[in-house]
Amino acid sequence: MAGFGLPNFGQLTEAFRKAQQIQQDAQKLQDELDAMQLEGQSTDGRARVWLSGNQQPLKVSLDPSLLSESASSVEAAVLEALKSSYAVSTGTMRQRMDELTGGLDLNLPGLGG
């Protein structure tokens, strides 16, 4: 079979073993990301937003002094905090996924890799 450019059975077995391990690790990572509370805040720190590692909104905190300002100022601060928390959350997820899959070689000989 190796003459037709197909990987040998040992390579396939190892690839399946790696895939199973990654699946188990991915579920663990999913649970860890769900449990995270990642904070982002406006530049002045008066608006803060927390998201999970999976970008699920968790809570918002607004400094009382912010509430005495115009609606557009409050909206801008909340949006800024939301963008900040989203950047932290997606960055954390990306980093953790890279750690999970970093050592995996998905290119099997003979399968177009």
Side-chain angles (χ1 to χ4, degrees):
M1 289 259 170
F4 294 106
L6 296 176
N8 68 36
F9 186 72
Q11 289 172 313
L12 286 175
T13 302
E14 181 63 16
F16 285 124
R17 187 193 64 73
K18 285 181 180 180
Q20 285 178 321
Q21 184 62 49
I22 286 178
Q23 185 177 20
Q24 291 170 355
D25 292 346
Q27 182 57 53
K28 235 191 299 190
L29 175 57
Q30 186 73 29
D31 294 342
E32 289 174 19
L33 291 170
D34 280 339
M36 290 179 178
Q37 292 191 21
L38 303 168
E39 179 184 350
Q41 56 183 289
S42 59
T43 305
D44 64 7
R46 295 189 299 164
R48 301 183 316 170
V49 173
W50 287 263
L51 299 178
S52 74
N54 288 315
Q55 293 80 52
Q56 293 299 312
L58 299 174
K59 65 182 177 177
V60 174
S61 174
L62 302 177
D63 187 287
S65 68
L66 182 61
L67 298 176
S68 65
E69 296 188 14
S70 69
S72 62
S73 293
V74 175
E75 291 167 353
V78 171
L79 181 58
E80 195 175 287
L82 180 58
K83 287 180 179 181
S84 173
S85 62
Y86 182 77
V88 170
S89 181
T90 56
T92 299
M93 179 194 289
R94 189 173 299 113
Q95 176 187 358
R96 298 299 301 275
M97 287 300 292
D98 287 347
E99 291 169 5
L100 176 67
T101 61
L104 181 64
D105 181 11
L106 294 175
N107 294 323
L108 292 175
L111 293 181

